[in-house]
Amino acid sequence: MFSLNSAIGNTPLIELKNLTGISNIRIYAKLEFLNPGGSVKDRMVSYILNEYEKSGKLQRGGVIVENTSGNTGAALAMLAVPKGYRVILTMPDKVSREKQETLKALGAEVIVCPTSASPGSPEHYVQKARDIASTTDNAVMLNQYDNRLNVEAHYNSTGPEIWNTLRGNIDYFVAAGSTGGTISGVGKFLKEMDPKIKVVMPDPIGSIYYEYFNTGTYSQESISTYQVEGIGEDHIAKCMDFSIVDSMMQFTDDMAFSATRLLARKEGIFAGGSSGANIWGCLELMNSLEHPANIVTILPDSGVKYLSKIFS
Ligand code: PMP
């Protein structure tokens, strides 16, 4: 009670009535940008820190290392620094100055690595984090891509919150993914409660997930750059559980960013590009349905960070 941790989760679920109009389809969006760290990642970080402390993996004066420039880094700095932990975050130098400075403002140590470093080389930001963690006393990594606790965090909080708020009246859950923690945890919980619920995953063109889901493999040629941040991947995260995904769809940056702006103008919800991607997915799904349905999605973070990229 009264702790910052207690302010995480139980985010509002809003019905997007202007986007659906008079249709018999309802779209509900969970406002994850209202978490104190500004994103859905607060849930995972809070859960993992708690589990690490309980198990003794993280001890007084411990060091937490992670490769992240974004929402996970902010959540980690916000929750771990005030507890006396040392937080070291590695990132490529393409990350904006504002993002780097935000993490420093929260007390994290930021190590900036050359974007041009090849994966696996000591200068690459992922390798750098691993090297620091393995050579620093009392250091742990969150390891968000492969850590089952990431999925568990959403299975135990986001999923039940959605189910309880709508009293189980859910037909579809729509979410893009990167680590896959959100979609896998929420999807698993909802399907256990009602196996008829379908899980739909939008994926940016340039990510490997769509091809991997449909063919069981992927080629290097399917990897390309895209502008939407925080979703899609160039490797398969262990947290990403494709067994709970029923179908996938692919979108362009333009589709995601147009939907982000539509969400702002039609519903007054100022969210980020991955939220736009999820809304695009909901609208595509809505247009393909010929029966009434309740669709639920996630709005992972706010539009503030993307003003110049999406709204200018
Ligand atoms: N949107 C944003 C803005 C994110 O930062 C992330 C996490 N990378 C996601 C969506 C996807 O969440 P998850 O990692 O749980 O798949």
Side-chain angles (χ1 to χ4, degrees):
M1 273 245 287
F2 302 122
S3 68
L4 196 56
N5 265 301
S6 73
I8 297 171
N10 289 314
T11 48
L13 191 70
I14 300 293
E15 187 184 345
L16 306 178
K17 288 190 176 158
N18 296 333
L19 285 181
T20 49
I22 52 165
S23 116
N24 51 11
I25 312 265
R26 293 176 195 274
I27 299 178
Y28 298 94
K30 195 147 173 69
L31 308 189
E32 287 301 300
F33 55 80
L34 292 180
N35 281 302
S39 88
V40 67
K41 289 290 174 184
D42 287 9
R43 293 178 186 268
M44 178 230 0
V45 172
S46 154
Y47 188 83
I48 295 181
L49 288 180
N50 195 24
E51 291 297 311
Y52 277 8
E53 284 174 339
K54 272 200 303 204
S55 68
K57 190 167 179 179
L58 185 58
Q59 300 190 348
R60 186 182 278 270
V63 184
I64 308 161
V65 189
E66 191 76 352
N67 42 279
T68 163
S69 55
N71 292 324
T72 298
L76 193 49
M78 172 185 85
L79 292 169
V81 171
K83 285 181 148 185
Y85 297 120
R86 192 175 156 203
V87 174
I88 305 176
L89 305 173
T90 67
M91 62 198 62
D93 56 15
K94 69 176 178 190
V95 170
S96 76
R97 186 123 193 107
E98 282 78 5
K99 281 190 176 171
Q100 294 180 26
E101 295 302 324
T102 304
L103 300 173
K104 286 187 199 162
L106 285 163
E109 293 167 49
V110 171
I111 297 181
V112 180
C113 303
T115 303
S116 56
S118 49
S121 76
E123 289 314 307
H124 189 266
Y125 74 109
V126 177
Q127 193 55 42
K128 180 70 101 193
R130 289 183 184 147
D131 290 347
I132 294 170
S134 65
T135 55
T136 306
D137 282 347
N138 216 356
V140 290
M141 290 188 76
L142 285 191
N143 199 11
Q144 59 170 333
Y145 288 93
D146 301 327
N147 191 336
R148 64 171 178 82
L149 295 173
N150 175 2
V151 182
E152 241 178 72
H154 293 285
Y155 178 85
N156 286 331
S157 72
T158 328
E161 285 173 29
I162 291 171
W163 176 264
N164 292 336
T165 308
L166 290 172
R167 296 193 178 87
N169 288 313
I170 302 159
D171 300 291
Y172 295 92
F173 177 66
V174 176
S178 160
T179 68
T182 311
I183 188 169
S184 304
V186 174
K188 181 167 188 276
F189 180 85
L190 294 180
K191 279 178 177 260
E192 279 177 13
M193 297 305 284
D194 178 358
K196 291 194 297 299
I197 295 176
K198 299 272 183 258
V199 174
V200 179
M201 182 173 182
D203 198 42
I205 291 172
S207 158
I208 59 170
Y209 280 160
Y210 180 84
E211 185 182 345
Y212 187 77
F213 174 76
N214 285 301
T215 67
T217 181
Y218 66 91
S219 56
Q220 290 298 319
E221 289 82 69
S222 56
I223 302 174
S224 60
T225 54
Y226 49 89
Q227 294 300 314
V228 185
E229 295 180 37
I231 45 180
E233 263 318 319
D234 58 5
H235 74 287
I236 306 290
K238 289 204 182 105
C239 289
M240 185 59 234
D241 177 4
F242 285 101
S243 74
I244 57 90
V245 178
D246 292 284
S247 63
M248 290 189 65
M249 27 171 96
Q250 278 187 304
F251 59 85
T252 63
D253 287 329
D254 196 37
M255 292 167 181
F257 291 169
S258 300
T260 313
R261 291 187 287 265
L262 194 70
L263 184 65
R265 305 270 164 84
K266 286 260 193 187
E267 301 283 354
I269 296 177
F270 184 44
S274 66
S275 300
N278 287 347
I279 292 300
W280 172 84
C282 291
L283 295 174
E284 285 290 300
L285 175 62
M286 175 176 94
N287 292 331
S288 73
L289 295 176
E290 285 164 0
H291 50 81
N294 285 348
I295 304 172
V296 185
T297 195
I298 296 273
L299 306 184
D301 71 357
S302 137
V304 177
K305 289 181 213 154
Y306 312 100
L307 261 179
S308 56
K309 193 171 189 175
I310 301 178
F311 294 94
S312 65

